Amino acid sequence: MSFFNRLLLQCRSGFEKEAAAEITDQCATIGVYGYCTLNQGDGFLLFHVQQEGDAERAIREVNFSQLIFIRQWLVCGECQVLERDDRVSQIEAVISDFPSCADLWVEYPDTTEGRELATFARKFSSALAQRLRKTGCLKKEKPNKALRLVLFTLTGSDIFVGYSAVANSAPWPLGIPRLKFPKKAPSRSTLKLEEAWHWFIPKAEWDLRLAHGSTAVDLGAAPGGWTWQLVQRSMFVTAVDNGPMQEALMESGQVKHVLEDAYKFLPEKPVNLMVCDVADKPIKTAEMAAYWVINGYCEEAIFNLKLPMKQRYTEVVSCFNHIAETFMKAGLAYELSAKHLYHDREEITCLLRIL
Ligand SMILES: C[S@@+](CC[C@H](N)C(=O)[O-])C[C@H]1O[C@@H](n2cnc3c(N)ncnc32)[C@H](O)[C@@H]1O
């Protein structure tokens, strides 16, 4: 079988260095070492491993849900340069010694240039999948064991061919859940909170953890995009902000607007969920979220850490170390999930709760 010596990692354009630092750190925890090659703005990078078998080991043993800046990944060899006629047969030849895969995705960089390949990707994926099913190259497998054949195209002929583990990769092509902007929502930020739920809370738990009739505090709520999402779940929301909330949202009768400082406000009674989208120092927000969760002011917290600084990865690590120390001192085990969402810009979104 071919020696797959690379991981191809997708991220938001401009965040390749953060993704490189992250994969280097995460792979080191399982004893996989290598080096990254990247171009700033490409929306992807390569991590070259030193030892045969290490790239495959990484996509199985590094927990994808722990990755923050990496939206999607695959294991692959070098970029294939295909002749433009009969690309399907050439791909068939390339994958002849691949392990068996259950399905196929054709992906591309999430950049202005890359997105021009979307139509090609859709058509090529359907033609190729049809052929591979006929010839038996794509076979149904149990989802927890299944591999997915992935083609990452840079042009119609320059293509990385590889695979990922279905259960340990993003459940959406390019790691981007397709969400529709709700016309009545007061701001585009609304999609950040909805996307966070898709990443962090299994759909089967939504009715329990985002339950109708439950309570929430939205810190830095105005004009109300996040509050709007909570109201759609029939939650009762205290919206904390000195700025104005959208009038239509206030008419729902489910929102109480409090004009206070987000970092000083505490609810009289514990709430189910605290969310925070205030632009301030990341460490200040991380400390505040940990304080709320540890002291039982909320069951879980979803918050943004704004990252306008150069050393974004280092900043995130130091915030997470701080949270770890605080929980250790309190003697509590916790879950911390974090992702650089498609709808995030210079920020990441996190979920924190006691286990
Ligand atoms: C990015 S906006 C929030 C957008 C909101 N999540 C939405 O979806 O519409 C940040 C908000 O935080 C508020 N803010 C900033 N510092 C604050 C503080 N210390 N206390 C309360 N609100 C604050 C600002 O007034 C602003 O409305």
Side-chain angles (χ1 to χ4, degrees):
M1 200 174 92
S2 326
F3 169 29
F4 296 109
N5 60 348
R6 294 167 171 85
L7 291 175
L8 189 149
L9 309 148
Q10 298 180 51
C11 63
R12 187 187 181 93
S13 166
F15 286 76
E16 296 78 10
K17 283 186 187 152
E18 285 71 20
E22 175 167 51
I23 198 66
T24 307
D25 271 8
Q26 289 292 327
C27 281
T29 65
I30 58 160
V32 167
Y33 301 98
Y35 64 95
C36 288
T37 50
L38 61 86
N39 292 308
Q40 189 80 354
D42 274 358
F44 75 97
L45 63 145
L46 294 167
F47 180 71
H48 307 257
V49 300
Q50 286 162 359
Q51 300 259 345
E52 188 164 347
D54 269 2
E56 279 105 335
R57 199 152 75 73
I59 60 155
R60 289 176 199 279
E61 293 178 22
V62 171
N63 185 349
F64 180 78
S65 69
Q66 294 294 315
L67 299 174
I68 303 167
F69 292 98
I70 295 161
R71 279 188 190 160
Q72 184 60 296
W73 62 356
L74 61 129
V75 58
C76 62
E78 61 188 21
C79 186
Q80 304 289 326
V81 183
L82 307 181
E83 300 291 331
R84 290 204 173 221
D85 54 332
D86 200 8
R87 284 176 278 221
V88 169
S89 301
Q90 295 167 71
I91 295 290
E92 266 187 313
V94 173
I95 64 166
S96 59
D97 58 357
F98 268 39
S100 111
C101 290
D103 68 354
L104 158 73
W105 281 357
V106 178
E107 302 187 316
Y108 45 86
D110 179 36
T111 57
T112 311
E113 262 182 23
R115 284 187 287 273
E116 286 173 12
L117 292 159
T119 309
F120 163 73
R122 187 166 32 81
K123 289 186 179 160
F124 189 46
S125 154
S126 122
L128 184 60
Q130 220 171 10
R131 171 87 77 91
L132 297 182
R133 284 214 173 84
K134 247 188 215 161
T135 54
C137 290
L138 288 183
K139 289 185 205 123
K140 281 205 167 154
E141 303 259 357
K142 285 192 180 146
N144 60 343
K145 290 203 179 145
L147 297 177
R148 170 173 292 132
L149 179 62
V150 185
L151 272 56
F152 187 80
T153 79
L154 301 181
T155 67
S157 47
D158 298 284
I159 302 182
F160 286 96
V161 186
Y163 62 86
S164 60
V166 172
N168 197 33
S169 56
W172 310 282
L174 281 72
I176 303 176
R178 298 284 159 190
L179 305 179
K180 211 170 154 210
F181 177 68
K183 283 197 188 119
K184 289 188 178 163
S187 68
R188 284 208 73 79
S189 310
T190 197
L191 290 179
K192 274 195 280 184
L193 187 59
E194 188 185 349
E195 188 183 351
W197 291 343
H198 283 280
W199 277 106
F200 301 146
I201 307 181
K203 207 71 202 248
E205 293 177 23
W206 281 33
D207 285 346
L208 186 72
R209 292 168 61 186
L210 306 169
H212 291 200
S214 58
T215 51
V217 169
D218 183 355
L219 299 174
W226 287 26
T227 295
W228 188 88
Q229 289 289 343
L230 301 165
V231 166
Q232 293 310 296
R233 298 285 312 166
S234 304
M235 295 169 94
F236 291 93
V237 188
T238 304
V240 183
D241 203 306
N242 282 317
M245 296 291 286
Q246 187 206 52
E247 271 177 36
L249 188 57
M250 296 309 295
E251 282 162 14
S252 68
Q254 285 165 243
V255 185
K256 183 178 153 198
H257 186 187
V258 177
L259 299 133
E260 262 191 55
D261 184 340
Y263 292 95
K264 293 190 180 137
F265 176 86
L266 285 172
E268 279 168 20
K269 283 188 196 161
V271 293
N272 300 101
L273 179 64
M274 180 271 268
V275 297
C276 176
D277 191 20
V278 174
D280 209 316
K281 288 200 175 101
I283 192 71
K284 199 171 158 189
T285 304
E287 269 173 9
M288 190 252 303
Y291 184 81
W292 274 61
V293 173
I294 288 174
N295 292 289
Y297 289 107
C298 64
E299 285 166 16
E300 42 196 310
I302 296 180
F303 52 97
N304 255 201
L305 298 181
K306 311 286 175 184
L307 303 170
M309 63 289 293
K310 275 197 176 153
Q311 300 293 326
R312 299 172 184 133
Y313 181 70
T314 316
E315 184 71 30
V316 171
V317 170
S318 99
C319 287
F320 286 11
N321 284 344
H322 181 83
I323 291 176
E325 278 167 27
T326 317
F327 274 81
M328 204 162 74
K329 275 187 200 147
L332 293 168
Y334 66 99
E335 173 193 324
L336 174 59
S337 309
K339 201 83 203 166
H340 189 204
L341 306 175
Y342 174 70
H343 293 97
D344 280 337
R345 289 171 189 269
E346 288 201 317
E347 60 200 333
I348 59 164
T349 304
C350 312
L351 180 145
L352 180 66
R353 63 177 185 145
I354 288 176
L355 277 180

